[in-house]
Amino acid sequence: MATYTTNEFRSGMKLMIDGAPFNIIDCEFVKPGKGQAFARVKLRNLQTRRVVERTYKSGESVEAADVVDNEMQYLYNDGEYWHFMDLQSFEQVAADADSIGESGKWLKDQDMCTVTLWNNMPIDVVPPNFVELKITETDPGVRGDTASGGGKPATLESGAVVRVPLFVESGEVIKVDTRTGEYVSRVKE
Amino acid sequence: MDNGRNNQDWRPTASLLALTKNAAVYRWIREFFEQRDVLEVQTPVLSHAGTTDRHIESFCTKFHSVSAEQSSQMLYLITSPEFHMKRLLAAGSGDIYQLGRVFRQSELGAQHNPEFTLLEWYRTGQDHHQLMLEVAEFVNGVLSNCADYTMMEHEQLSYRTVFRQHLGIDPLADSTKTLRLCAQQHGFIASEQGAGGDSTHHDLYLDFLMSHVVQPKLGQGKLSFVYDYPASQCSLARLSNEDARVAERFELFLNGVELANGFHELCDPQQQQRRFEQDNVMRDASKQTPVVIDRRLIAALTSGLPDCAGVAVGIDRLLQFILSAKTLDDVLAFPFNRA
């Protein structure tokens, strides 16, 4: 059984707590001047997506979640499941809405994603840091306005809504940072 | 992009404003003590003995003599100037203060840097209650002279009182099991061994509850002093004559952050020696390296330490408060990662 000590804790690390896999979001060192040191961690339950805060005595060992991160290609969504394929083995997995979470709104056919498997079941999907998606709907562009602040909402082909500059038009392809959900640039096709 | 950032890591992380404030605070500290006739002293950073405290690890280094017969000597970087300053007090220095760097192994985080600045001072003929008042004057003085704060009120609450107020439990009377359940309710994960019932775990749960639940509520818009810590956390404070379950130790919290720790100092050499030895026995049991006991401190106590109270204030954290900085990186020119 693999374990991590609290000193090794990093965000993104997966732990097993009470039989459920968790992902470390954040870890903080807490220590009274004259007392015991602690590791305070913020964790996401990868099954329920719920975020909890837990504290360990510094130096304690915690069971590592027996999970595998796989680079897989997104194939399609059948309305209930999102399907991914391992390009080496051609094995396919199907992820439900719970394990997709917020990531679903960034997925475009054939994009490579990091799929976390637990007992061969997908429990987490991380989209690429940057995706290029077509705008399906936004207010008409304002001619000549190339840089002013403000912006407007735009709906993308994957369903996500992001704020874009006023000059960006419906039908254009834009680059978005999926970690922040922010518009990066227009993409010339 | 990462390369670009790495090329910039020669730069200080603190702003010029922070450095200016830092200088102003140092200036003001020296003025404060000069007006009160407290003598500034300098004591060694490299020491032949270290702290036995089980929760504080010293950096160790070696001195290599030029003469081959003499083998190299182990040295500790001080974690506090306390032992040396007490030797000065025992030698008759009278009231003294020191502003300097101390070093603590493995302490790194938003509120911790392995090397940090401590202001430590001692008042002879005073107890911890009198010293708390002077600490309040000191902090208020810094905040109003080096920043735009108006005088803050201060409160003195016993350790027992804050636990009752914020947790509804009695840290001196309740069982270890009660403390454990309370800690677990607040998100503490007790390991299998941690589920035992000995006194070490008692303090573990107290430390957790204090640092995670009570402390964040202290010092909100005022200076909160907590005094009469459990005897098991006496450190170098004397035990109370009225209630042997508590030690005459205090801490100051501001904005949920621990800012100072003070004692009505233990003067009894035998008791001090026993505490050091007990610490080393516990260190041995938990596979920590035992520490060389400071025989010169014990000799100084034997010769006679005047009745006194002492306190250590974390100056970097005080600056952090003045500048509303989230992490120490914003007040240190070069924090650990860039040192």
Side-chain angles (χ1 to χ4, degrees):
Chain A
M1 183 183 80
T3 59
Y4 297 119
T5 71
T6 62
N7 311 324
E8 299 172 285
F9 282 5
R10 296 284 177 277
S11 50
M13 201 174 257
K14 315 256 183 335
L15 305 177
M16 205 65 193
I17 301 167
D18 297 331
F22 283 77
N23 185 13
I24 297 182
I25 300 171
D26 196 30
C27 180
E28 196 188 342
F29 175 77
V30 179
K31 186 186 178 302
K34 300 277 175 196
Q36 180 67 56
F38 299 97
R40 172 157 56 192
V41 280
K42 206 184 264 179
L43 302 146
R44 173 174 283 120
N45 183 322
L46 288 173
Q47 288 178 299
T48 65
R49 318 298 300 174
R50 206 169 295 149
V51 175
V52 295
E53 235 182 50
R54 293 282 181 272
T55 296
Y56 294 90
K57 184 178 139 188
S58 203
E60 202 97 309
S61 294
V62 184
E63 190 184 340
D66 190 12
V67 297
V68 194
D69 286 342
N70 269 2
E71 285 303 305
M72 298 184 103
Q73 189 180 55
Y74 171 59
L75 300 176
Y76 62 96
N77 172 13
D78 64 14
E80 190 176 357
Y81 291 100
W82 283 257
H83 296 266
F84 297 86
M85 183 168 69
D86 186 319
L87 291 183
Q88 250 95 60
S89 66
F90 300 111
E91 241 173 89
Q92 292 191 18
V93 296
D96 60 12
D98 273 348
S99 42
I100 286 285
E102 288 284 286
S103 303
K105 67 180 183 187
W106 302 117
L107 296 182
K108 195 176 73 172
D109 302 0
Q110 294 178 17
D111 271 355
M112 294 303 291
C113 301
T114 306
V115 179
T116 304
L117 299 175
W118 180 50
N119 295 335
N120 291 320
M121 292 283 295
I123 51 169
D124 194 26
V125 174
V126 180
N129 289 345
F130 298 101
V131 290
E132 294 180 357
L133 294 163
K134 186 183 260 178
I135 296 175
T136 53
E137 200 190 330
T138 189
D139 289 342
V142 179
R143 195 176 290 274
D145 186 351
T146 53
S148 85
K152 58 182 179 179
T155 309
L156 308 180
E157 57 178 317
S158 59
V161 178
V162 296
R163 282 201 83 73
V164 298
L166 295 174
F167 58 81
V168 177
E169 307 265 9
S170 199
E172 281 188 291
V173 175
I174 60 164
K175 186 173 172 183
V176 182
D177 187 331
T178 61
R179 294 162 296 185
T180 56
E182 279 167 13
Y183 165 91
V184 179
S185 64
R186 275 197 289 193
V187 180
K188 291 272 183 296
E189 271 184 302
Chain B
M1 231 163 102
D2 270 344
N3 279 336
R5 205 180 308 146
N6 285 340
N7 288 338
Q8 293 297 308
D9 75 357
W10 61 270
R11 289 184 174 282
T13 53
S15 64
L16 191 56
L17 172 74
L19 300 181
T20 312
K21 284 284 177 203
N22 186 47
V25 169
Y26 271 56
R27 233 177 2 252
W28 191 86
I29 289 172
R30 296 206 153 95
E31 209 173 290
F32 178 86
F33 288 109
E34 194 178 328
Q35 278 172 8
R36 288 166 186 244
D37 232 358
V38 180
L39 183 70
E40 177 165 13
V41 296
Q42 277 85 35
T43 59
V45 164
L46 280 175
S47 172
H48 292 287
T51 178
T52 57
D53 189 317
R54 285 175 303 130
H55 301 308
I56 300 179
E57 287 302 327
S58 306
F59 282 91
C60 294
T61 185
K62 276 184 178 146
F63 174 76
H64 302 288
S65 169
V66 277
S67 68
E69 310 93 79
Q70 239 188 342
S71 58
S72 61
Q73 297 177 63
M74 244 272 282
L75 290 163
Y76 299 89
L77 267 69
I78 57 160
T79 60
S80 136
E82 179 149 14
F83 296 176
H84 293 112
M85 289 180 80
K86 280 181 173 168
R87 283 163 59 190
L88 287 177
L89 287 158
S93 67
D95 298 344
I96 48 175
Y97 81 95
Q98 180 160 207
L99 184 56
R101 289 296 175 89
V102 298
F103 306 84
R104 295 187 186 179
Q105 190 64 263
S106 308
E107 301 193 5
L108 184 61
Q111 310 283 347
H112 293 84
N113 196 62
E115 162 181 5
F116 62 101
T117 303
L118 263 191
L119 164 67
E120 185 145 327
W121 82 88
Y122 290 85
R123 285 295 209 166
T124 53
Q126 288 195 7
D127 68 8
H128 56 306
H129 286 285
Q130 289 165 292
L131 188 57
M132 273 188 260
L133 296 179
E134 187 165 53
V135 173
E137 283 174 50
F138 168 79
V139 174
N140 265 323
V142 172
L143 295 182
S144 54
N145 281 280
C146 306
D148 296 327
Y149 287 92
T150 48
M151 293 290 267
M152 263 189 267
E153 285 188 25
H154 55 93
E155 61 179 5
Q156 275 92 340
L157 304 160
S158 75
Y159 190 88
R160 202 176 185 192
T161 305
V162 291
F163 266 70
R164 281 176 165 168
Q165 255 176 26
H166 298 292
L167 289 163
I169 59 173
D170 186 337
L172 303 179
D174 283 341
S175 69
T176 303
K177 192 181 166 204
T178 306
L179 298 183
R180 188 180 76 234
L181 291 177
C182 185
Q184 284 172 330
Q185 272 165 22
H186 286 93
F188 184 67
I189 310 257
S191 71
E192 293 306 313
Q193 314 147 291
D198 71 48
S199 60
T200 320
H201 295 133
H202 198 86
D203 282 323
L204 171 66
Y205 303 136
L206 289 179
D207 278 346
F208 167 78
L209 291 168
M210 184 68 183
S211 58
H212 285 69
V213 190
V214 178
Q215 189 180 314
K217 302 196 173 88
L218 298 174
Q220 301 302 336
K222 58 188 161 194
L223 305 174
S224 298
F225 289 91
V226 176
Y227 64 93
D228 281 358
Y229 273 66
S232 55
Q233 301 181 12
C234 58
S235 196
L236 293 112
R238 65 176 69 184
L239 297 183
S240 161
N241 279 332
E242 289 100 63
D243 184 353
R245 295 176 304 170
V246 301
E248 296 188 340
R249 173 184 159 200
F250 71 88
E251 294 230 354
L252 165 63
F253 300 93
L254 176 56
N255 201 23
V257 175
E258 179 189 356
L259 216 55
N261 175 70
F263 306 134
H264 188 193
E265 305 291 346
L266 175 67
C267 295
D268 178 346
Q270 275 100 37
Q271 208 184 124
Q272 186 62 74
Q273 174 79 25
R274 269 201 307 280
R275 286 188 194 177
F276 285 159
E277 286 169 1
Q278 265 166 15
D279 279 348
N280 271 339
V281 170
M282 304 267 244
R283 280 182 162 268
D284 219 26
S286 58
K287 299 195 175 69
Q288 290 170 282
T289 320
V291 175
V292 175
I293 289 175
D294 195 341
R295 64 168 177 83
R296 293 190 180 92
L297 172 68
I298 300 294
L301 297 188
T302 308
S303 145
L305 181 71
D307 184 17
C308 64
V311 64
V313 181
I315 296 303
D316 310 303
R317 288 191 186 165
L318 192 55
L319 270 160
Q320 214 182 329
F321 178 80
I322 288 176
L323 294 158
S324 307
K326 269 217 156 62
T327 80
L328 284 177
D329 290 12
D330 299 327
V331 305
L332 301 171
F334 302 112
F336 183 68
N337 293 333
R338 296 191 180 193

mmCIF file of all heavy atoms in Angstrom, chain B residues 77-108:
data_model
loop_
_atom_site.group_PDB
_atom_site.id
_atom_site.type_symbol
_atom_site.label_atom_id
_atom_site.label_comp_id
_atom_site.label_asym_id
_atom_site.label_seq_id
_atom_site.Cartn_x
_atom_site.Cartn_y
_atom_site.Cartn_z
ATOM 1 N N LEU B 77 22.413 26.313 15.830
ATOM 2 C CA LEU B 77 21.986 27.692 15.580
ATOM 3 C C LEU B 77 20.819 27.942 16.542
ATOM 4 O O LEU B 77 19.935 27.090 16.667
ATOM 5 C CB LEU B 77 21.503 27.873 14.130
ATOM 6 C CG LEU B 77 22.563 28.351 13.132
ATOM 7 C CD1 LEU B 77 23.586 27.245 12.898
ATOM 8 C CD2 LEU B 77 21.919 28.748 11.819
ATOM 9 N N ILE B 78 20.835 29.072 17.221
ATOM 10 C CA ILE B 78 19.824 29.304 18.256
ATOM 11 C C ILE B 78 18.409 29.355 17.671
ATOM 12 O O ILE B 78 18.192 29.824 16.562
ATOM 13 C CB ILE B 78 20.071 30.603 19.061
ATOM 14 C CG1 ILE B 78 20.131 31.824 18.138
ATOM 15 C CG2 ILE B 78 21.335 30.483 19.907
ATOM 16 C CD1 ILE B 78 19.889 33.125 18.859
ATOM 17 N N THR B 79 17.452 28.834 18.447
ATOM 18 C CA THR B 79 16.040 28.935 18.069
ATOM 19 C C THR B 79 15.398 30.085 18.832
ATOM 20 O O THR B 79 14.268 30.456 18.575
ATOM 21 C CB THR B 79 15.296 27.636 18.402
ATOM 22 O OG1 THR B 79 15.402 27.398 19.815
ATOM 23 C CG2 THR B 79 15.897 26.449 17.656
ATOM 24 N N SER B 80 16.146 30.631 19.792
ATOM 25 C CA SER B 80 15.743 31.793 20.595
ATOM 26 C C SER B 80 16.973 32.184 21.420
ATOM 27 O O SER B 80 17.788 31.325 21.751
ATOM 28 C CB SER B 80 14.565 31.400 21.505
ATOM 29 O OG SER B 80 14.741 31.902 22.812
ATOM 30 N N PRO B 81 17.127 33.477 21.741
ATOM 31 C CA PRO B 81 18.319 33.882 22.504
ATOM 32 C C PRO B 81 18.158 33.688 24.012
ATOM 33 O O PRO B 81 18.999 34.128 24.793
ATOM 34 C CB PRO B 81 18.449 35.371 22.161
ATOM 35 C CG PRO B 81 17.049 35.811 21.925
ATOM 36 C CD PRO B 81 16.306 34.643 21.347
ATOM 37 N N GLU B 82 17.088 33.007 24.412
ATOM 38 C CA GLU B 82 16.697 32.903 25.820
ATOM 39 C C GLU B 82 17.802 32.435 26.777
ATOM 40 O O GLU B 82 18.036 33.053 27.815
ATOM 41 C CB GLU B 82 15.493 31.956 25.915
ATOM 42 C CG GLU B 82 15.010 31.743 27.312
ATOM 43 C CD GLU B 82 13.516 31.498 27.389
ATOM 44 O OE1 GLU B 82 12.894 31.234 26.349
ATOM 45 O OE2 GLU B 82 12.984 31.583 28.497
ATOM 46 N N PHE B 83 18.476 31.318 26.424
ATOM 47 C CA PHE B 83 19.455 30.763 27.361
ATOM 48 C C PHE B 83 20.599 31.745 27.625
ATOM 49 O O PHE B 83 20.999 31.952 28.764
ATOM 50 C CB PHE B 83 20.025 29.429 26.836
ATOM 51 C CG PHE B 83 19.000 28.322 26.719
ATOM 52 C CD1 PHE B 83 19.351 27.092 26.174
ATOM 53 C CD2 PHE B 83 17.701 28.496 27.162
ATOM 54 C CE1 PHE B 83 18.425 26.066 26.062
ATOM 55 C CE2 PHE B 83 16.756 27.478 27.062
ATOM 56 C CZ PHE B 83 17.128 26.259 26.502
ATOM 57 N N HIS B 84 21.118 32.325 26.555
ATOM 58 C CA HIS B 84 22.221 33.272 26.721
ATOM 59 C C HIS B 84 21.778 34.509 27.493
ATOM 60 O O HIS B 84 22.509 35.030 28.330
ATOM 61 C CB HIS B 84 22.779 33.696 25.359
ATOM 62 C CG HIS B 84 23.459 32.570 24.620
ATOM 63 N ND1 HIS B 84 22.938 32.024 23.473
ATOM 64 C CD2 HIS B 84 24.596 31.905 24.881
ATOM 65 C CE1 HIS B 84 23.747 31.057 23.051
ATOM 66 N NE2 HIS B 84 24.757 30.963 23.883
ATOM 67 N N MET B 85 20.566 34.990 27.196
ATOM 68 C CA MET B 85 20.102 36.207 27.867
ATOM 69 C C MET B 85 19.891 35.957 29.354
ATOM 70 O O MET B 85 20.159 36.822 30.192
ATOM 71 C CB MET B 85 18.840 36.749 27.190
ATOM 72 C CG MET B 85 19.150 37.344 25.804
ATOM 73 S SD MET B 85 17.717 38.008 24.936
ATOM 74 C CE MET B 85 17.535 39.621 25.726
ATOM 75 N N LYS B 86 19.451 34.752 29.703
ATOM 76 C CA LYS B 86 19.275 34.435 31.129
ATOM 77 C C LYS B 86 20.621 34.383 31.849
ATOM 78 O O LYS B 86 20.709 34.705 33.025
ATOM 79 C CB LYS B 86 18.525 33.110 31.285
ATOM 80 C CG LYS B 86 17.028 33.282 31.099
ATOM 81 C CD LYS B 86 16.279 31.985 31.282
ATOM 82 C CE LYS B 86 14.779 32.243 31.248
ATOM 83 N NZ LYS B 86 14.015 30.992 31.139
ATOM 84 N N ARG B 87 21.670 33.980 31.123
ATOM 85 C CA ARG B 87 22.994 33.980 31.733
ATOM 86 C C ARG B 87 23.440 35.414 32.015
ATOM 87 O O ARG B 87 24.098 35.685 33.019
ATOM 88 C CB ARG B 87 23.992 33.254 30.833
ATOM 89 C CG ARG B 87 23.833 31.727 30.933
ATOM 90 C CD ARG B 87 24.494 30.997 29.789
ATOM 91 N NE ARG B 87 25.918 31.253 29.695
ATOM 92 C CZ ARG B 87 26.676 30.869 28.652
ATOM 93 N NH1 ARG B 87 26.112 30.202 27.645
ATOM 94 N NH2 ARG B 87 27.951 31.122 28.633
ATOM 95 N N LEU B 88 23.076 36.340 31.134
ATOM 96 C CA LEU B 88 23.392 37.751 31.397
ATOM 97 C C LEU B 88 22.614 38.253 32.614
ATOM 98 O O LEU B 88 23.160 38.950 33.470
ATOM 99 C CB LEU B 88 23.048 38.608 30.168
ATOM 100 C CG LEU B 88 23.976 38.476 28.960
ATOM 101 C CD1 LEU B 88 23.460 39.337 27.807
ATOM 102 C CD2 LEU B 88 25.395 38.911 29.325
ATOM 103 N N LEU B 89 21.334 37.864 32.685
ATOM 104 C CA LEU B 89 20.494 38.289 33.813
ATOM 105 C C LEU B 89 21.066 37.766 35.128
ATOM 106 O O LEU B 89 21.148 38.498 36.119
ATOM 107 C CB LEU B 89 19.057 37.786 33.631
ATOM 108 C CG LEU B 89 18.227 38.496 32.554
ATOM 109 C CD1 LEU B 89 17.078 37.619 32.089
ATOM 110 C CD2 LEU B 89 17.712 39.838 33.075
ATOM 111 N N ALA B 90 21.494 36.482 35.102
ATOM 112 C CA ALA B 90 22.049 35.874 36.320
ATOM 113 C C ALA B 90 23.352 36.571 36.720
ATOM 114 O O ALA B 90 23.704 36.620 37.899
ATOM 115 C CB ALA B 90 22.293 34.384 36.098
ATOM 116 N N ALA B 91 24.057 37.128 35.722
ATOM 117 C CA ALA B 91 25.312 37.820 36.003
ATOM 118 C C ALA B 91 25.069 39.262 36.443
ATOM 119 O O ALA B 91 26.014 40.008 36.685
ATOM 120 C CB ALA B 91 26.209 37.786 34.774
ATOM 121 N N GLY B 92 23.790 39.669 36.499
ATOM 122 C CA GLY B 92 23.470 40.996 37.019
ATOM 123 C C GLY B 92 23.303 42.090 35.980
ATOM 124 O O GLY B 92 23.508 43.265 36.268
ATOM 125 N N SER B 93 22.925 41.728 34.749
ATOM 126 C CA SER B 93 22.776 42.732 33.693
ATOM 127 C C SER B 93 21.626 43.703 33.961
ATOM 128 O O SER B 93 21.626 44.821 33.477
ATOM 129 C CB SER B 93 22.527 42.032 32.359
ATOM 130 O OG SER B 93 21.260 41.385 32.387
ATOM 131 N N GLY B 94 20.626 43.292 34.699
ATOM 132 C CA GLY B 94 19.401 44.090 34.806
ATOM 133 C C GLY B 94 18.575 43.894 33.555
ATOM 134 O O GLY B 94 18.835 42.973 32.760
ATOM 135 N N ASP B 95 17.563 44.766 33.339
ATOM 136 C CA ASP B 95 16.636 44.604 32.201
ATOM 137 C C ASP B 95 17.371 44.666 30.869
ATOM 138 O O ASP B 95 18.158 45.584 30.630
ATOM 139 C CB ASP B 95 15.572 45.696 32.252
ATOM 140 C CG ASP B 95 14.730 45.594 33.522
ATOM 141 O OD1 ASP B 95 14.783 44.526 34.177
ATOM 142 O OD2 ASP B 95 14.030 46.567 33.843
ATOM 143 N N ILE B 96 17.113 43.697 29.994
ATOM 144 C CA ILE B 96 17.812 43.652 28.700
ATOM 145 C C ILE B 96 16.858 43.294 27.566
ATOM 146 O O ILE B 96 15.803 42.696 27.791
ATOM 147 C CB ILE B 96 18.957 42.603 28.700
ATOM 148 C CG1 ILE B 96 18.462 41.261 29.262
ATOM 149 C CG2 ILE B 96 20.151 43.112 29.469
ATOM 150 C CD1 ILE B 96 19.490 40.137 29.184
ATOM 151 N N TYR B 97 17.268 43.692 26.343
ATOM 152 C CA TYR B 97 16.519 43.256 25.156
ATOM 153 C C TYR B 97 17.473 42.919 24.035
ATOM 154 O O TYR B 97 18.640 43.344 24.049
ATOM 155 C CB TYR B 97 15.512 44.320 24.708
ATOM 156 C CG TYR B 97 16.071 45.455 23.877
ATOM 157 C CD1 TYR B 97 16.030 45.409 22.475
ATOM 158 C CD2 TYR B 97 16.627 46.581 24.479
ATOM 159 C CE1 TYR B 97 16.526 46.460 21.713
ATOM 160 C CE2 TYR B 97 17.123 47.634 23.724
ATOM 161 C CZ TYR B 97 17.073 47.572 22.339
ATOM 162 O OH TYR B 97 17.567 48.610 21.591
ATOM 163 N N GLN B 98 16.978 42.144 23.096
ATOM 164 C CA GLN B 98 17.781 41.783 21.932
ATOM 165 C C GLN B 98 16.869 41.660 20.722
ATOM 166 O O GLN B 98 15.761 41.149 20.813
ATOM 167 C CB GLN B 98 18.502 40.454 22.179
ATOM 168 C CG GLN B 98 19.350 40.020 20.997
ATOM 169 C CD GLN B 98 20.443 39.007 21.341
ATOM 170 O OE1 GLN B 98 21.446 38.933 20.678
ATOM 171 N NE2 GLN B 98 20.244 38.214 22.380
ATOM 172 N N LEU B 99 17.391 42.155 19.596
ATOM 173 C CA LEU B 99 16.644 42.102 18.347
ATOM 174 C C LEU B 99 17.518 41.324 17.375
ATOM 175 O O LEU B 99 18.598 41.790 17.016
ATOM 176 C CB LEU B 99 16.408 43.537 17.850
ATOM 177 C CG LEU B 99 15.582 43.786 16.619
ATOM 178 C CD1 LEU B 99 14.200 43.172 16.726
ATOM 179 C CD2 LEU B 99 15.459 45.295 16.388
ATOM 180 N N GLY B 100 17.102 40.138 16.985
ATOM 181 C CA GLY B 100 17.998 39.372 16.125
ATOM 182 C C GLY B 100 17.317 38.203 15.436
ATOM 183 O O GLY B 100 16.127 37.955 15.608
ATOM 184 N N ARG B 101 18.133 37.471 14.665
ATOM 185 C CA ARG B 101 17.624 36.351 13.899
ATOM 186 C C ARG B 101 17.710 35.071 14.695
ATOM 187 O O ARG B 101 18.687 34.845 15.414
ATOM 188 C CB ARG B 101 18.448 36.178 12.618
ATOM 189 C CG ARG B 101 18.218 37.264 11.595
ATOM 190 C CD ARG B 101 16.795 37.245 11.112
ATOM 191 N NE ARG B 101 16.509 38.356 10.220
ATOM 192 C CZ ARG B 101 16.690 38.308 8.908
ATOM 193 N NH1 ARG B 101 17.153 37.210 8.351
ATOM 194 N NH2 ARG B 101 16.416 39.345 8.161
ATOM 195 N N VAL B 102 16.701 34.233 14.549
ATOM 196 C CA VAL B 102 16.717 32.890 15.115
ATOM 197 C C VAL B 102 16.366 31.903 13.998
ATOM 198 O O VAL B 102 15.874 32.303 12.934
ATOM 199 C CB VAL B 102 15.740 32.749 16.303
ATOM 200 C CG1 VAL B 102 16.136 33.685 17.436
ATOM 201 C CG2 VAL B 102 14.309 32.994 15.860
ATOM 202 N N PHE B 103 16.631 30.629 14.246
ATOM 203 C CA PHE B 103 16.547 29.629 13.176
ATOM 204 C C PHE B 103 15.783 28.405 13.658
ATOM 205 O O PHE B 103 16.080 27.875 14.729
ATOM 206 C CB PHE B 103 17.956 29.227 12.752
ATOM 207 C CG PHE B 103 18.804 30.406 12.375
ATOM 208 C CD1 PHE B 103 19.470 31.139 13.353
ATOM 209 C CD2 PHE B 103 18.903 30.812 11.057
ATOM 210 C CE1 PHE B 103 20.230 32.256 13.025
ATOM 211 C CE2 PHE B 103 19.665 31.919 10.709
ATOM 212 C CZ PHE B 103 20.338 32.646 11.695
ATOM 213 N N ARG B 104 14.814 27.960 12.883
ATOM 214 C CA ARG B 104 14.081 26.754 13.267
ATOM 215 C C ARG B 104 13.914 25.821 12.074
ATOM 216 O O ARG B 104 13.413 26.232 11.020
ATOM 217 C CB ARG B 104 12.723 27.128 13.873
ATOM 218 C CG ARG B 104 12.915 27.895 15.173
ATOM 219 C CD ARG B 104 11.640 28.153 15.921
ATOM 220 N NE ARG B 104 11.915 29.026 17.075
ATOM 221 C CZ ARG B 104 11.010 29.461 17.923
ATOM 222 N NH1 ARG B 104 9.741 29.110 17.754
ATOM 223 N NH2 ARG B 104 11.337 30.243 18.933
ATOM 224 N N GLN B 105 14.346 24.602 12.295
ATOM 225 C CA GLN B 105 14.309 23.581 11.252
ATOM 226 C C GLN B 105 12.865 23.242 10.854
ATOM 227 O O GLN B 105 11.978 23.213 11.715
ATOM 228 C CB GLN B 105 14.998 22.337 11.835
ATOM 229 C CG GLN B 105 15.293 21.235 10.870
ATOM 230 C CD GLN B 105 16.285 21.620 9.803
ATOM 231 O OE1 GLN B 105 15.908 21.981 8.700
ATOM 232 N NE2 GLN B 105 17.566 21.524 10.127
ATOM 233 N N SER B 106 12.655 22.966 9.560
ATOM 234 C CA SER B 106 11.389 22.426 9.044
ATOM 235 C C SER B 106 10.181 23.359 9.158
ATOM 236 O O SER B 106 9.073 22.923 8.944
ATOM 237 C CB SER B 106 11.017 21.110 9.748
ATOM 238 O OG SER B 106 12.086 20.221 9.706
ATOM 239 N N GLU B 107 10.387 24.614 9.548
ATOM 240 C CA GLU B 107 9.233 25.509 9.669
ATOM 241 C C GLU B 107 9.158 26.417 8.451
ATOM 242 O O GLU B 107 9.903 27.376 8.322
ATOM 243 C CB GLU B 107 9.322 26.324 10.966
ATOM 244 C CG GLU B 107 9.360 25.420 12.191
ATOM 245 C CD GLU B 107 9.131 26.159 13.511
ATOM 246 O OE1 GLU B 107 8.842 27.366 13.497
ATOM 247 O OE2 GLU B 107 9.236 25.499 14.564
ATOM 248 N N LEU B 108 8.245 26.084 7.539
ATOM 249 C CA LEU B 108 8.116 26.848 6.301
ATOM 250 C C LEU B 108 6.655 26.893 5.883
ATOM 251 O O LEU B 108 6.004 25.862 5.756
ATOM 252 C CB LEU B 108 8.957 26.180 5.202
ATOM 253 C CG LEU B 108 9.027 26.879 3.859
ATOM 254 C CD1 LEU B 108 9.634 28.269 3.979
ATOM 255 C CD2 LEU B 108 9.844 26.054 2.867
#
